[in-house]
Amino acid sequence: MSLTPDAIATLSKVSTATITTVLLKKGLRNVWMRGARPLHPGQKRLVGAAFTLRFVPAREDLATPESWSSPISTRTAIEAMPEGCIAVVDAMGISDAGIFGDILCARMVKRGVTALITDGVVRDLEGVMGTNLPVWCNGYAAPPSVAGLTFVGWGEPIGCGGVAVFPNDIVVADQDGAVLIPQAFLDHVLAEGPEQERMEAWIVNEVNNGASLPGLYPMNAETKARYAASKK
């Protein structure tokens, strides 16, 4: 199933917490990207197809300022990013070399990129914030990427925050972090995510009205019947 505008609208109303629960029920436990936290408090929930980029450890003959002009560079990769994608970057959790700064993030905004997600860090923090590109990352640092990383490619499977990410997998990011939805499970999440949200909202209302948790969360047969009746 492709990521249609309707699918984006639906997922925009489903929290990452709910998505992890829905996928857990299907046996997927490792979908939350460790270290990818919202750079700016209050960033709204965003949805997009993953455009993957990969770094490996720095090697002195390859990780040089001259490499920024190479055909295999972050600059070239950004020019290949389609509008609406979410750039997902494998930086191996390195926290002392910023993968992108303000200039690269500004170009991503111009290309219509939805967001940047990485288990690494950014640099030029004030400038990056000024671009208004939504970023989920592991912090920020002054040194450039080549101080600790070698960029090796894009459009291939990566690991970001301990999660396997394939190109065009679906990513949803909010205040709880970034979650991956494999393409094969998109239709399931679209069907079950909104229902999970409705059910939990009903449970919260019951709690606010004084209900105790046993038999309510999780629901026993009697509670399930009351919930089903409430939807009629």
Side-chain angles (χ1 to χ4, degrees):
M1 180 178 289
S2 61
L3 190 59
T4 63
D6 285 346
I8 292 174
T10 297
L11 291 175
S12 295
K13 298 175 183 177
V14 180
S15 72
T16 56
T18 291
I19 292 170
T20 61
T21 299
V22 170
L23 291 175
L24 177 64
K25 292 177 180 179
K26 298 295 288 185
L28 278 72
R29 298 176 179 272
N30 188 33
V31 294
W32 180 76
M33 299 178 210
R34 300 156 187 83
R37 298 183 293 272
L39 184 61
H40 188 276
Q43 290 180 171
K44 70 176 184 178
R45 183 173 300 121
L46 294 174
V47 182
F51 182 95
T52 59
L53 302 92
R54 185 166 68 94
F55 286 87
V56 297
R59 206 177 81 182
E60 287 74 8
D61 62 324
L62 298 175
T64 65
E66 290 74 22
S67 69
W68 294 331
S69 299
S70 165
I72 301 177
S73 68
T74 52
R75 280 73 171 160
T76 307
I78 287 172
E79 298 305 319
M81 293 179 180
E83 183 177 0
C85 77
I86 289 182
V88 183
V89 186
D90 175 6
M92 305 180 302
I94 296 296
S95 60
D96 58 358
I99 59 164
F100 289 163
D102 53 353
I103 295 174
L104 273 62
C105 288
R107 180 57 181 160
M108 292 169 69
V109 171
K110 287 295 185 182
R111 289 198 57 79
V113 173
T114 295
L116 166 64
I117 294 174
T118 181
D119 55 4
V121 301
V122 295
R123 64 193 300 248
D124 302 315
L125 177 61
E126 184 176 352
V128 169
M129 299 280 278
T131 69
N132 293 317
L133 177 70
V135 176
W136 278 258
C137 65
N138 200 22
Y140 35 86
S145 61
V146 293
L149 294 161
T150 302
F151 182 70
V152 293
W154 64 91
E156 59 184 327
I158 63 168
C160 183
V163 176
V165 183
F166 285 71
N168 295 318
D169 280 341
I170 309 307
V171 177
V172 181
D174 61 16
Q175 291 299 296
D176 281 352
V179 169
L180 175 107
I181 304 173
Q183 274 279 351
F185 288 85
L186 176 58
D187 55 350
H188 176 74
V189 174
L190 288 171
E192 296 299 324
E195 170 57 21
Q196 183 76 22
E197 292 279 6
R198 283 191 294 269
M199 181 184 70
E200 293 194 2
W202 185 84
I203 291 172
V204 168
N205 186 63
E206 291 290 297
V207 170
N208 289 337
N209 287 332
S212 59
L213 293 178
L216 174 66
Y217 187 62
M219 293 182 179
N220 59 19
E222 178 184 353
T223 303
K224 288 179 180 178
R226 288 199 299 114
Y227 172 63
S230 74
K231 296 192 293 181
K232 295 179 179 179

